[in-house]
């Protein structure tokens, strides 16, 4: 299962949005990351992972069925306001994958709603994005999620503000910024998914970096980065 949000914004503005909930191979990965309210803040914050029991997974499926979300209807966003956030829930049950869509709940959602309605979908969204409290007894001890791949967006160097000087670090990968990945979203940004040893090398550097860190490649070019983990089942954000 995976739950995420989309909005009609420039792709670089939503690049760092993580799926708030991913359940894969018996693990619940919590993408609701508390971001420190400081500037410059970190350029990478990793999610937490907790084991989830078979009973917990069965409870999610049972709730989806009770809410009428496993029938033919999958789109509950037909009356959403233009430009608003759309939520998505992908469920894989008995080898069949279905994606539900609906508006982001912005007000009080009733504790019960008629099955197969937008209100029932919003209730289910609220529950699956509150797994830590809803299914607390079915979750094990949490730990940091170790990514096997990172999505990286290379941007022009950020400008120092409020008298805070940028700090500089060498770009730790062999490629130069000019050859890294490919153009992204019709902008000057470049994007790539970094895997394997390169991902481990880059992660060790970016966890010690912030929004005002300028990276310098072997050609002397400077850039800033947006970096986030790739979660199981996610499509490549650079496509």
């Amino acid at each position: 299962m995976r739950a995420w949000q989309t909005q009609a914004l420039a792709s670089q503005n939503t690049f760092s949005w993580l799926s708030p909930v991913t359940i894969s191979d018996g693990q619940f990965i919590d993408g609701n990351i508390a971001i420190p309210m400081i500037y410059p803040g970190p350029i990478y914050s990793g999610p937490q992972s907790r084991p989830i029991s078979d009973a917990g997974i069965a409870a999610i499926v049972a709730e989806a069925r009770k809410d009428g979300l496993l029938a033919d209807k999958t789109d509950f966003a037909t009356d959403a306001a233009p430009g608003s956030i759309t939520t998505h829930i992908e469920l894989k049950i008995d080898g069949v994958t279905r994606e539900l869509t609906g508006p982001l709940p912005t007000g009080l959602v009733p504790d019960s709603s008629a099955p197969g309605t937008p209100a029932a979908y919003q209730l289910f969204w609220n529950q699956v994005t509150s797994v830590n409290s809803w299914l607390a007894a079915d979750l094990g001890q949490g730990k940091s999620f170790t990514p096997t791949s990172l999505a990286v967006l290379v941007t022009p160097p950020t400008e120092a503000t409020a008298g805070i000087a940028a700090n500089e670090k060498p770009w730790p990968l062999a490629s130069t910024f000019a050859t890294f990945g490919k153009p992204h979203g019709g902008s000057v940004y470049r994007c790539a998914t970094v895997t394997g040893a390169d991902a481990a090398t880059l992660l060790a550097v970016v966890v010690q970096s912030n929004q005002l860190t300028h990276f310098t490649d072997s050609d002397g070019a400077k850039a800033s980065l947006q970096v986030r983990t790739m979660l199981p089942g996610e499509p490549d954000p650079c496509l």
Side-chain angles (χ1 to χ4, degrees):
M1 187 191 84
R2 191 165 64 92
W4 71 100
Q5 303 175 11
T6 57
Q7 191 173 12
L9 298 172
S11 55
Q12 60 267 26
N13 294 332
T14 60
F15 184 82
S16 61
W17 289 9
L18 281 182
S19 300
V21 177
T22 302
I23 296 177
S24 177
D25 294 330
Q27 294 291 313
F28 157 56
I29 304 169
D30 186 356
N32 290 297
I33 300 172
I35 304 298
M37 300 302 291
I38 58 174
Y39 184 82
I43 60 172
Y44 176 86
S45 296
Q48 293 283 306
S49 174
R50 302 178 67 182
I52 183 169
S53 68
D54 290 344
I57 294 173
I60 294 172
V61 174
E63 184 64 30
R65 184 170 286 112
K66 180 175 75 70
D67 292 335
L69 303 177
L70 303 184
D72 292 338
K73 185 175 181 179
T74 59
D75 184 359
F76 301 93
T78 52
D79 295 326
S84 63
I85 294 176
T86 298
T87 64
H88 307 255
I89 302 174
E90 183 180 84
L91 298 167
K92 186 174 183 179
I93 302 172
D94 297 330
V96 177
T97 300
R98 59 193 290 109
E99 181 182 325
L100 311 173
T101 59
L104 179 70
T106 56
L108 182 65
V109 176
D111 291 337
S112 61
S113 301
T117 62
Y121 170 86
Q122 291 183 56
L123 174 62
F124 185 62
W125 170 269
N126 280 353
Q127 287 182 287
V128 298
T129 55
S130 303
V131 168
N132 278 312
S133 55
W134 176 34
L135 300 175
D138 296 294
L139 299 174
Q141 184 65 37
K143 63 178 182 180
S144 295
F145 175 74
T146 302
T148 58
S149 59
L150 299 170
V152 182
L153 192 64
V154 175
T155 71
T158 53
E159 295 185 7
T161 59
I164 304 174
N167 59 89
E168 302 204 3
K169 293 185 178 181
W171 170 241
L173 304 185
S175 60
T176 63
F177 294 134
T179 61
F180 181 77
K182 55 189 175 183
H184 183 68
S187 69
V188 297
Y189 301 169
R190 297 188 71 86
C191 186
T193 299
V194 180
T195 61
D198 278 352
T201 297
L202 183 60
L203 184 61
V205 174
V206 298
V207 295
Q208 303 295 329
S209 305
N210 62 44
Q211 293 165 305
L212 280 180
T213 301
H214 292 174
F215 295 87
T216 305
D217 68 14
S218 58
D219 286 345
K222 299 182 185 298
S224 293
L225 304 178
Q226 290 186 38
V227 183
R228 71 170 182 87
T229 185
M230 288 294 296
L231 297 174
E234 281 191 312
D236 187 342
C238 298
L239 295 179

